[in-house]
Amino acid sequence: MTQQINVINRLEWLKSPDPVAYPEAVDIMEDRVAAIHTGDKPEAVWLLEHPPLYTAGTSAAPAELVDPDRFPVFATGRGGRYTYHGPGQRVGYVMLDLSKRKNDIRAFVRDLEEWIIQTLATLGVTGERREGRVGIWVVRDGGREDKIAAIGVRVRRWISFHGIALNVAPNLDHFSGIIPCGIDSFGVTSLRDLGIDTTMEEVDQILENVFCEVFDVEHSDHLPQVD
Protein backbone atom coordinates (compact mmCIF):
# COMPACT_ATOMS: atom_id res chain seq x y z
CA MET A 1 0.00 0.00 0.00
CA THR A 2 1.37 3.39 -0.98
CA GLN A 3 0.68 6.48 1.06
CA GLN A 4 0.83 10.05 -0.21
CA ILE A 5 3.06 12.02 2.13
CA ASN A 6 3.72 15.32 0.42
CA VAL A 7 3.31 17.30 -2.76
CA ILE A 8 6.30 19.47 -3.66
CA ASN A 9 5.79 21.81 -6.63
CA ARG A 10 3.58 19.19 -8.27
CA LEU A 11 6.02 16.48 -7.26
CA GLU A 12 4.43 13.80 -5.10
CA TRP A 13 6.43 12.35 -2.23
CA LEU A 14 5.20 8.80 -1.67
CA LYS A 15 5.99 6.15 0.90
CA SER A 16 4.98 2.51 1.32
CA PRO A 17 4.99 1.35 4.95
CA ASP A 18 5.11 -2.36 4.04
CA PRO A 19 7.55 -4.19 1.74
CA VAL A 20 6.44 -4.06 -1.90
CA ALA A 21 6.85 -7.03 -4.23
CA TYR A 22 9.20 -6.16 -7.07
CA PRO A 23 6.81 -6.91 -9.99
CA GLU A 24 4.15 -4.77 -8.31
CA ALA A 25 6.61 -1.90 -7.89
CA VAL A 26 7.62 -2.07 -11.55
CA ASP A 27 3.95 -2.01 -12.64
CA ILE A 28 3.30 1.04 -10.46
CA MET A 29 6.35 2.82 -11.88
CA GLU A 30 5.35 1.96 -15.45
CA ASP A 31 1.88 3.40 -14.87
CA ARG A 32 3.26 6.56 -13.26
CA VAL A 33 5.80 7.12 -16.06
CA ALA A 34 3.00 6.89 -18.64
CA ALA A 35 0.82 9.26 -16.62
CA ILE A 36 3.62 11.79 -16.21
CA HIS A 37 4.20 11.73 -19.96
CA THR A 38 0.52 12.46 -20.68
CA GLY A 39 0.30 15.04 -17.91
CA ASP A 40 -2.31 13.08 -15.97
CA LYS A 41 -0.15 12.75 -12.86
CA PRO A 42 2.74 14.77 -11.39
CA GLU A 43 6.34 13.67 -11.00
CA ALA A 44 7.01 11.52 -7.94
CA VAL A 45 9.60 10.17 -5.55
CA TRP A 46 8.61 6.85 -3.98
CA LEU A 47 10.33 5.50 -0.85
CA LEU A 48 9.88 1.81 -0.10
CA GLU A 49 11.46 -1.49 0.88
CA HIS A 50 11.32 -4.80 -0.95
CA PRO A 51 11.26 -8.34 0.41
CA PRO A 52 14.64 -10.08 -0.11
CA LEU A 53 15.38 -10.41 -3.83
CA TYR A 54 17.98 -9.91 -6.52
CA THR A 55 17.53 -7.81 -9.64
CA ALA A 56 19.50 -8.15 -12.86
CA GLY A 57 20.20 -4.96 -14.78
CA THR A 58 20.82 -4.77 -18.49
CA SER A 59 24.57 -5.39 -18.04
CA ALA A 60 24.28 -8.33 -15.61
CA ALA A 61 26.46 -11.37 -16.38
CA PRO A 62 25.24 -14.87 -15.40
CA ALA A 63 28.46 -15.63 -13.49
CA GLU A 64 27.70 -12.75 -11.12
CA LEU A 65 24.68 -14.59 -9.72
CA VAL A 66 26.56 -16.74 -7.21
CA ASP A 67 23.54 -18.34 -5.49
CA PRO A 68 20.59 -18.35 -7.92
CA ASP A 69 18.33 -20.31 -5.56
CA ARG A 70 18.73 -18.07 -2.53
CA PHE A 71 16.15 -15.39 -3.35
CA PRO A 72 13.85 -14.62 -6.29
CA VAL A 73 15.68 -13.05 -9.23
CA PHE A 74 14.04 -10.45 -11.46
CA ALA A 75 15.30 -9.15 -14.77
CA THR A 76 14.83 -5.40 -14.97
CA GLY A 77 15.19 -2.79 -17.65
CA ARG A 78 17.32 -0.45 -15.53
CA GLY A 79 21.00 0.01 -16.22
CA GLY A 80 23.59 -1.79 -14.15
CA ARG A 81 24.20 -5.36 -13.04
CA TYR A 82 23.03 -7.53 -10.13
CA THR A 83 21.69 -5.76 -7.06
CA TYR A 84 20.18 -6.97 -3.80
CA HIS A 85 17.06 -5.41 -2.31
CA GLY A 86 15.56 -6.28 1.04
CA PRO A 87 14.32 -5.09 4.43
CA GLY A 88 16.48 -2.42 6.02
CA GLN A 89 17.41 -0.93 2.67
CA ARG A 90 15.73 2.30 1.64
CA VAL A 91 14.85 2.22 -2.03
CA GLY A 92 14.03 5.54 -3.68
CA TYR A 93 12.32 5.37 -7.05
CA VAL A 94 12.55 8.72 -8.81
CA MET A 95 10.08 9.50 -11.59
CA LEU A 96 10.96 12.87 -13.08
CA ASP A 97 10.41 14.53 -16.44
CA LEU A 98 13.96 15.12 -17.62
CA SER A 99 12.73 17.22 -20.52
CA LYS A 100 12.23 19.90 -17.86
CA ARG A 101 15.84 19.40 -16.80
CA LYS A 102 17.72 19.89 -20.10
CA ASN A 103 17.33 16.25 -21.24
CA ASP A 104 20.62 15.45 -19.52
CA ILE A 105 20.77 11.91 -18.15
CA ARG A 106 24.35 12.22 -16.92
CA ALA A 107 23.46 15.33 -14.94
CA PHE A 108 20.44 13.50 -13.51
CA VAL A 109 22.59 10.57 -12.34
CA ARG A 110 25.09 12.97 -10.82
CA ASP A 111 22.24 14.65 -8.93
CA LEU A 112 21.15 11.24 -7.63
CA GLU A 113 24.70 10.67 -6.43
CA GLU A 114 24.74 14.08 -4.78
CA TRP A 115 21.41 13.30 -3.11
CA ILE A 116 22.96 10.25 -1.45
CA ILE A 117 26.26 11.96 -0.61
CA GLN A 118 24.57 14.87 1.14
CA THR A 119 22.18 12.55 2.96
CA LEU A 120 25.12 10.56 4.28
CA ALA A 121 26.96 13.75 5.24
CA THR A 122 23.99 14.82 7.36
CA LEU A 123 24.43 11.54 9.25
CA GLY A 124 28.18 12.04 9.66
CA VAL A 125 29.27 9.65 6.89
CA THR A 126 31.53 10.61 3.99
CA GLY A 127 30.19 9.08 0.79
CA GLU A 128 32.25 9.34 -2.37
CA ARG A 129 32.03 8.72 -6.11
CA ARG A 130 34.56 6.47 -7.80
CA GLU A 131 35.44 6.63 -11.48
CA GLY A 132 34.34 3.44 -13.21
CA ARG A 133 32.32 2.24 -10.20
CA VAL A 134 28.63 3.02 -10.07
CA GLY A 135 27.16 3.92 -6.69
CA ILE A 136 28.42 5.63 -3.57
CA TRP A 137 31.38 4.38 -1.55
CA VAL A 138 32.85 4.85 1.92
CA VAL A 139 36.47 4.39 2.97
CA ARG A 140 36.90 2.14 6.00
CA ASP A 141 39.79 1.86 8.46
CA GLY A 142 42.87 0.62 6.64
CA GLY A 143 41.72 2.15 3.38
CA ARG A 144 39.20 -0.53 2.39
CA GLU A 145 36.33 0.81 0.28
CA ASP A 146 32.79 -0.50 0.71
CA LYS A 147 29.66 0.31 -1.23
CA ILE A 148 26.81 1.84 0.75
CA ALA A 149 24.38 2.81 -2.01
CA ALA A 150 23.50 1.63 -5.49
CA ILE A 151 22.13 3.60 -8.43
CA GLY A 152 20.29 2.23 -11.44
CA VAL A 153 17.98 4.21 -13.69
CA ARG A 154 15.89 3.84 -16.80
CA VAL A 155 14.51 6.63 -18.98
CA ARG A 156 11.52 6.40 -21.31
CA ARG A 157 10.37 9.40 -23.33
CA TRP A 158 12.62 11.44 -21.04
CA ILE A 159 10.75 10.25 -17.93
CA SER A 160 13.04 8.60 -15.37
CA PHE A 161 12.26 5.61 -13.19
CA HIS A 162 14.02 3.17 -10.88
CA GLY A 163 16.59 5.11 -8.82
CA ILE A 164 18.65 4.53 -5.67
CA ALA A 165 19.08 1.98 -2.90
CA LEU A 166 20.68 3.13 0.37
CA ASN A 167 21.78 0.52 2.89
CA VAL A 168 20.40 1.62 6.24
CA ALA A 169 20.33 -1.65 8.19
CA PRO A 170 19.91 -4.63 5.82
CA ASN A 171 21.30 -8.11 6.42
CA LEU A 172 24.63 -7.67 4.66
CA ASP A 173 25.08 -11.43 4.30
CA HIS A 174 22.27 -11.36 1.75
CA PHE A 175 24.61 -9.61 -0.68
CA SER A 176 26.82 -12.72 -0.79
CA GLY A 177 24.50 -14.44 -3.25
CA ILE A 178 25.63 -12.07 -5.99
CA ILE A 179 28.67 -10.09 -7.04
CA PRO A 180 27.08 -6.70 -6.34
CA CYS A 181 27.20 -4.52 -9.45
CA GLY A 182 29.80 -6.88 -10.90
CA ILE A 183 32.54 -5.79 -8.48
CA ASP A 184 34.04 -8.56 -6.35
CA SER A 185 37.13 -6.75 -5.04
CA PHE A 186 35.20 -4.44 -2.71
CA GLY A 187 32.75 -4.93 0.11
CA VAL A 188 29.27 -3.73 1.02
CA THR A 189 28.37 -1.73 4.11
CA SER A 190 25.41 0.02 5.74
CA LEU A 191 24.75 2.84 8.16
CA ARG A 192 24.31 0.28 10.95
CA ASP A 193 27.55 -1.46 9.98
CA LEU A 194 29.30 1.90 10.24
CA GLY A 195 27.93 2.41 13.75
CA ILE A 196 25.32 5.00 12.80
CA ASP A 197 22.32 4.69 15.11
CA THR A 198 19.39 5.97 13.08
CA THR A 199 15.88 4.99 12.06
CA MET A 200 14.34 4.63 8.64
CA GLU A 201 12.02 7.52 9.51
CA GLU A 202 14.98 9.80 10.22
CA VAL A 203 16.67 8.75 6.99
CA ASP A 204 13.46 9.42 5.07
CA GLN A 205 13.19 12.95 6.42
CA ILE A 206 16.81 13.67 5.52
CA LEU A 207 16.29 12.22 2.05
CA GLU A 208 13.33 14.53 1.50
CA ASN A 209 15.16 17.60 2.77
CA VAL A 210 18.25 16.92 0.67
CA PHE A 211 16.23 16.06 -2.43
CA CYS A 212 14.58 19.47 -2.29
CA GLU A 213 18.00 21.11 -2.12
CA VAL A 214 19.68 19.08 -4.86
CA PHE A 215 16.78 19.08 -7.31
CA ASP A 216 15.75 22.65 -6.49
CA VAL A 217 12.16 22.05 -5.46
CA GLU A 218 10.34 23.68 -2.58
CA HIS A 219 8.93 22.11 0.54
CA SER A 220 5.23 22.38 1.21
CA ASP A 221 3.12 21.54 4.24
CA HIS A 222 2.55 17.82 4.66
CA LEU A 223 -0.82 16.53 3.59
CA PRO A 224 -2.67 13.91 5.66
CA GLN A 225 -1.58 10.39 4.83
CA VAL A 226 -4.02 8.56 2.56
CA ASP A 227 -4.22 4.97 1.38
Side-chain angles (χ1 to χ4, degrees):
M1 185 178 296
T2 302
Q3 297 178 320
Q4 182 180 14
I5 300 299
N6 202 358
V7 177
I8 310 171
N9 278 7
R10 292 285 295 160
L11 184 149
E12 286 188 333
W13 198 264
L14 307 171
K15 181 176 177 180
S16 293
D18 301 313
V20 181
Y22 191 77
E24 178 185 351
V26 172
D27 287 345
I28 290 171
M29 283 192 288
E30 294 271 2
D31 289 346
R32 175 56 71 115
V33 166
I36 292 171
H37 178 69
T38 59
D40 293 326
K41 287 188 177 180
E43 300 172 309
V45 177
W46 181 18
L47 301 181
L48 67 150
E49 293 172 274
H50 287 301
L53 58 92
Y54 298 129
T55 63
T58 54
S59 300
E64 295 164 3
L65 182 59
V66 178
D67 188 353
D69 299 322
R70 188 168 191 178
F71 297 126
V73 181
F74 297 95
T76 178
R78 62 156 176 80
R81 301 170 93 155
Y82 280 105
T83 300
Y84 166 76
H85 294 309
Q89 182 189 71
R90 178 49 87 214
V91 173
Y93 288 140
V94 181
M95 291 156 278
L96 299 182
D97 185 349
L98 300 187
S99 68
K100 299 176 181 178
R101 296 166 175 83
K102 301 181 181 180
N103 291 3
D104 192 332
I105 296 174
R106 288 186 178 181
F108 170 63
V109 171
R110 191 162 185 85
D111 283 344
L112 292 179
E113 294 171 340
E114 191 64 23
W115 181 28
I116 299 168
I117 289 170
Q118 290 190 27
T119 295
L120 292 173
T122 303
L123 292 162
V125 175
T126 300
E128 301 177 354
R129 301 174 176 90
R130 286 293 182 267
E131 188 69 29
R133 284 191 255 147
V134 179
I136 301 301
W137 302 78
V138 297
V139 180
R140 309 294 298 271
D141 292 342
R144 189 185 83 195
E145 296 184 4
D146 287 345
K147 190 171 189 175
I148 195 168
I151 297 172
V153 300
R154 187 174 182 183
V155 176
R156 179 183 298 144
R157 294 176 174 174
W158 291 108
I159 311 297
S160 70
F161 55 125
H162 298 279
I164 70 164
L166 173 62
N167 297 333
V168 178
N171 184 337
L172 295 179
D173 181 63
H174 288 178
F175 286 87
S176 64
I178 58 172
I179 299 175
C181 300
I183 302 172
D184 59 4
S185 53
F186 299 93
V188 179
T189 190
S190 67
L191 290 171
R192 175 181 290 175
D193 185 48
L194 294 172
I196 304 300
D197 184 18
T198 187
T199 65
M200 195 68 80
E201 290 73 21
E202 180 183 5
V203 171
D204 288 347
Q205 188 58 63
I206 297 169
L207 283 168
E208 180 181 346
N209 292 342
V210 173
F211 186 92
C212 292
E213 296 282 340
V214 171
F215 287 88
D216 194 24
V217 294
E218 296 179 359
H219 288 275
S220 66
D221 293 335
H222 279 246
L223 301 175
Q225 294 186 2
V226 295
D227 292 344

mmCIF file of all heavy atoms in Angstrom, residues 173-197:
data_model
loop_
_atom_site.group_PDB
_atom_site.id
_atom_site.type_symbol
_atom_site.label_atom_id
_atom_site.label_comp_id
_atom_site.label_asym_id
_atom_site.label_seq_id
_atom_site.Cartn_x
_atom_site.Cartn_y
_atom_site.Cartn_z
ATOM 1 N N ASP A 173 24.766 -10.111 4.828
ATOM 2 C CA ASP A 173 25.080 -11.435 4.301
ATOM 3 C C ASP A 173 24.256 -11.747 3.053
ATOM 4 O O ASP A 173 24.675 -12.559 2.223
ATOM 5 C CB ASP A 173 24.819 -12.491 5.375
ATOM 6 C CG ASP A 173 25.146 -13.900 4.889
ATOM 7 O OD1 ASP A 173 26.328 -14.163 4.587
ATOM 8 O OD2 ASP A 173 24.206 -14.725 4.780
ATOM 9 N N HIS A 174 23.118 -11.098 2.911
ATOM 10 C CA HIS A 174 22.272 -11.360 1.747
ATOM 11 C C HIS A 174 22.926 -10.921 0.441
ATOM 12 O O HIS A 174 22.540 -11.380 -0.633
ATOM 13 C CB HIS A 174 20.928 -10.659 1.918
ATOM 14 C CG HIS A 174 20.054 -11.290 2.952
ATOM 15 N ND1 HIS A 174 18.811 -10.789 3.300
ATOM 16 C CD2 HIS A 174 20.241 -12.392 3.731
ATOM 17 C CE1 HIS A 174 18.272 -11.553 4.236
ATOM 18 N NE2 HIS A 174 19.123 -12.519 4.522
ATOM 19 N N PHE A 175 23.906 -10.032 0.529
ATOM 20 C CA PHE A 175 24.613 -9.605 -0.677
ATOM 21 C C PHE A 175 25.553 -10.691 -1.203
ATOM 22 O O PHE A 175 26.027 -10.586 -2.333
ATOM 23 C CB PHE A 175 25.422 -8.337 -0.400
ATOM 24 C CG PHE A 175 24.599 -7.088 -0.279
ATOM 25 C CD1 PHE A 175 24.057 -6.714 0.943
ATOM 26 C CD2 PHE A 175 24.367 -6.271 -1.375
ATOM 27 C CE1 PHE A 175 23.304 -5.551 1.070
ATOM 28 C CE2 PHE A 175 23.609 -5.110 -1.265
ATOM 29 C CZ PHE A 175 23.074 -4.756 -0.038
ATOM 30 N N SER A 176 25.829 -11.707 -0.397
ATOM 31 C CA SER A 176 26.821 -12.716 -0.788
ATOM 32 C C SER A 176 26.312 -13.658 -1.874
ATOM 33 O O SER A 176 27.086 -14.430 -2.433
ATOM 34 C CB SER A 176 27.264 -13.528 0.435
ATOM 35 O OG SER A 176 26.183 -14.269 0.981
ATOM 36 N N GLY A 177 25.028 -13.593 -2.183
ATOM 37 C CA GLY A 177 24.502 -14.440 -3.251
ATOM 38 C C GLY A 177 24.752 -13.890 -4.641
ATOM 39 O O GLY A 177 24.454 -14.548 -5.637
ATOM 40 N N ILE A 178 25.309 -12.693 -4.707
ATOM 41 C CA ILE A 178 25.634 -12.070 -5.989
ATOM 42 C C ILE A 178 27.001 -11.410 -5.874
ATOM 43 O O ILE A 178 27.555 -11.271 -4.791
ATOM 44 C CB ILE A 178 24.602 -10.993 -6.387
ATOM 45 C CG1 ILE A 178 24.513 -9.903 -5.294
ATOM 46 C CG2 ILE A 178 23.249 -11.613 -6.670
ATOM 47 C CD1 ILE A 178 23.669 -8.702 -5.661
ATOM 48 N N ILE A 179 27.537 -11.018 -7.018
ATOM 49 C CA ILE A 179 28.667 -10.088 -7.041
ATOM 50 C C ILE A 179 28.046 -8.722 -7.272
ATOM 51 O O ILE A 179 27.666 -8.385 -8.403
ATOM 52 C CB ILE A 179 29.677 -10.439 -8.146
ATOM 53 C CG1 ILE A 179 30.254 -11.837 -7.908
ATOM 54 C CG2 ILE A 179 30.801 -9.402 -8.197
ATOM 55 C CD1 ILE A 179 31.171 -12.329 -9.012
ATOM 56 N N PRO A 180 27.858 -7.944 -6.206
ATOM 57 C CA PRO A 180 27.082 -6.705 -6.342
ATOM 58 C C PRO A 180 27.667 -5.773 -7.393
ATOM 59 O O PRO A 180 28.835 -5.399 -7.334
ATOM 60 C CB PRO A 180 27.161 -6.084 -4.940
ATOM 61 C CG PRO A 180 27.465 -7.229 -4.028
ATOM 62 C CD PRO A 180 28.334 -8.145 -4.846
ATOM 63 N N CYS A 181 26.816 -5.441 -8.367
ATOM 64 C CA CYS A 181 27.202 -4.520 -9.445
ATOM 65 C C CYS A 181 28.436 -4.997 -10.202
ATOM 66 O O CYS A 181 29.155 -4.196 -10.804
ATOM 67 C CB CYS A 181 27.413 -3.108 -8.889
ATOM 68 S SG CYS A 181 25.930 -2.439 -8.114
ATOM 69 N N GLY A 182 28.703 -6.310 -10.145
ATOM 70 C CA GLY A 182 29.804 -6.881 -10.901
ATOM 71 C C GLY A 182 31.178 -6.622 -10.338
ATOM 72 O O GLY A 182 32.183 -6.873 -10.994
ATOM 73 N N ILE A 183 31.247 -6.143 -9.085
ATOM 74 C CA ILE A 183 32.541 -5.786 -8.480
ATOM 75 C C ILE A 183 32.797 -6.705 -7.288
ATOM 76 O O ILE A 183 32.105 -6.636 -6.275
ATOM 77 C CB ILE A 183 32.547 -4.313 -8.022
ATOM 78 C CG1 ILE A 183 32.253 -3.398 -9.217
ATOM 79 C CG2 ILE A 183 33.872 -3.945 -7.385
ATOM 80 C CD1 ILE A 183 32.040 -1.957 -8.851
ATOM 81 N N ASP A 184 33.789 -7.594 -7.420
ATOM 82 C CA ASP A 184 34.045 -8.560 -6.351
ATOM 83 C C ASP A 184 35.264 -8.220 -5.503
ATOM 84 O O ASP A 184 35.610 -8.952 -4.577
ATOM 85 C CB ASP A 184 34.189 -9.973 -6.919
ATOM 86 C CG ASP A 184 35.325 -10.094 -7.934
ATOM 87 O OD1 ASP A 184 36.045 -9.096 -8.148
ATOM 88 O OD2 ASP A 184 35.478 -11.185 -8.510
ATOM 89 N N SER A 185 35.924 -7.105 -5.790
ATOM 90 C CA SER A 185 37.133 -6.755 -5.042
ATOM 91 C C SER A 185 36.860 -5.723 -3.946
ATOM 92 O O SER A 185 37.793 -5.242 -3.308
ATOM 93 C CB SER A 185 38.214 -6.225 -5.993
ATOM 94 O OG SER A 185 37.718 -5.170 -6.790
ATOM 95 N N PHE A 186 35.572 -5.395 -3.747
ATOM 96 C CA PHE A 186 35.198 -4.436 -2.708
ATOM 97 C C PHE A 186 34.025 -5.001 -1.922
ATOM 98 O O PHE A 186 33.321 -5.897 -2.382
ATOM 99 C CB PHE A 186 34.829 -3.081 -3.322
ATOM 100 C CG PHE A 186 35.941 -2.432 -4.078
ATOM 101 C CD1 PHE A 186 36.067 -2.623 -5.448
ATOM 102 C CD2 PHE A 186 36.877 -1.650 -3.429
ATOM 103 C CE1 PHE A 186 37.095 -2.035 -6.157
ATOM 104 C CE2 PHE A 186 37.919 -1.057 -4.132
ATOM 105 C CZ PHE A 186 38.035 -1.254 -5.493
ATOM 106 N N GLY A 187 33.808 -4.445 -0.735
ATOM 107 C CA GLY A 187 32.747 -4.935 0.114
ATOM 108 C C GLY A 187 31.491 -4.085 0.043
ATOM 109 O O GLY A 187 31.378 -3.146 -0.744
ATOM 110 N N VAL A 188 30.534 -4.452 0.904
ATOM 111 C CA VAL A 188 29.271 -3.728 1.024
ATOM 112 C C VAL A 188 29.100 -3.355 2.486
ATOM 113 O O VAL A 188 29.434 -4.118 3.390
ATOM 114 C CB VAL A 188 28.086 -4.601 0.559
ATOM 115 C CG1 VAL A 188 26.772 -3.852 0.720
ATOM 116 C CG2 VAL A 188 28.274 -5.037 -0.885
ATOM 117 N N THR A 189 28.576 -2.175 2.736
ATOM 118 C CA THR A 189 28.374 -1.733 4.107
ATOM 119 C C THR A 189 26.997 -1.087 4.242
ATOM 120 O O THR A 189 26.235 -0.997 3.279
ATOM 121 C CB THR A 189 29.487 -0.764 4.558
ATOM 122 O OG1 THR A 189 29.383 -0.554 5.970
ATOM 123 C CG2 THR A 189 29.393 0.572 3.838
ATOM 124 N N SER A 190 26.684 -0.640 5.449
ATOM 125 C CA SER A 190 25.415 0.020 5.737
ATOM 126 C C SER A 190 25.639 1.045 6.834
ATOM 127 O O SER A 190 26.705 1.079 7.475
ATOM 128 C CB SER A 190 24.375 -1.007 6.202
ATOM 129 O OG SER A 190 24.743 -1.539 7.469
ATOM 130 N N LEU A 191 24.652 1.879 7.062
ATOM 131 C CA LEU A 191 24.752 2.835 8.162
ATOM 132 C C LEU A 191 24.931 2.105 9.490
ATOM 133 O O LEU A 191 25.757 2.495 10.317
ATOM 134 C CB LEU A 191 23.512 3.724 8.190
ATOM 135 C CG LEU A 191 23.390 4.717 7.032
ATOM 136 C CD1 LEU A 191 22.021 5.388 7.048
ATOM 137 C CD2 LEU A 191 24.498 5.775 7.109
ATOM 138 N N ARG A 192 24.165 1.042 9.695
ATOM 139 C CA ARG A 192 24.312 0.285 10.949
ATOM 140 C C ARG A 192 25.706 -0.307 11.066
ATOM 141 O O ARG A 192 26.322 -0.260 12.134
ATOM 142 C CB ARG A 192 23.266 -0.825 11.021
ATOM 143 C CG ARG A 192 23.439 -1.737 12.238
ATOM 144 C CD ARG A 192 22.406 -2.833 12.284
ATOM 145 N NE ARG A 192 21.090 -2.302 12.585
ATOM 146 C CZ ARG A 192 19.976 -3.042 12.582
ATOM 147 N NH1 ARG A 192 20.037 -4.326 12.247
ATOM 148 N NH2 ARG A 192 18.814 -2.494 12.894
ATOM 149 N N ASP A 193 26.219 -0.860 9.973
ATOM 150 C CA ASP A 193 27.552 -1.463 9.977
ATOM 151 C C ASP A 193 28.617 -0.430 10.311
ATOM 152 O O ASP A 193 29.649 -0.752 10.905
ATOM 153 C CB ASP A 193 27.822 -2.084 8.606
ATOM 154 C CG ASP A 193 29.134 -2.847 8.535
ATOM 155 O OD1 ASP A 193 29.395 -3.664 9.435
ATOM 156 O OD2 ASP A 193 29.899 -2.618 7.577
ATOM 157 N N LEU A 194 28.361 0.820 9.951
ATOM 158 C CA LEU A 194 29.301 1.903 10.241
ATOM 159 C C LEU A 194 29.111 2.486 11.645
ATOM 160 O O LEU A 194 29.796 3.445 12.014
ATOM 161 C CB LEU A 194 29.151 3.018 9.205
ATOM 162 C CG LEU A 194 29.541 2.652 7.761
ATOM 163 C CD1 LEU A 194 29.154 3.775 6.819
ATOM 164 C CD2 LEU A 194 31.032 2.343 7.649
ATOM 165 N N GLY A 195 28.163 1.939 12.382
ATOM 166 C CA GLY A 195 27.934 2.406 13.749
ATOM 167 C C GLY A 195 27.006 3.601 13.856
ATOM 168 O O GLY A 195 26.965 4.261 14.901
ATOM 169 N N ILE A 196 26.239 3.873 12.782
ATOM 170 C CA ILE A 196 25.319 5.000 12.795
ATOM 171 C C ILE A 196 23.978 4.528 13.331
ATOM 172 O O ILE A 196 23.303 3.679 12.726
ATOM 173 C CB ILE A 196 25.152 5.604 11.389
ATOM 174 C CG1 ILE A 196 26.510 6.009 10.817
ATOM 175 C CG2 ILE A 196 24.189 6.783 11.428
ATOM 176 C CD1 ILE A 196 27.250 7.024 11.637
ATOM 177 N N ASP A 197 23.578 5.063 14.476
ATOM 178 C CA ASP A 197 22.322 4.689 15.108
ATOM 179 C C ASP A 197 21.228 5.622 14.611
ATOM 180 O O ASP A 197 21.093 6.755 15.058
ATOM 181 C CB ASP A 197 22.462 4.790 16.631
ATOM 182 C CG ASP A 197 21.216 4.332 17.363
ATOM 183 O OD1 ASP A 197 20.399 3.632 16.731
ATOM 184 O OD2 ASP A 197 21.050 4.672 18.557
#
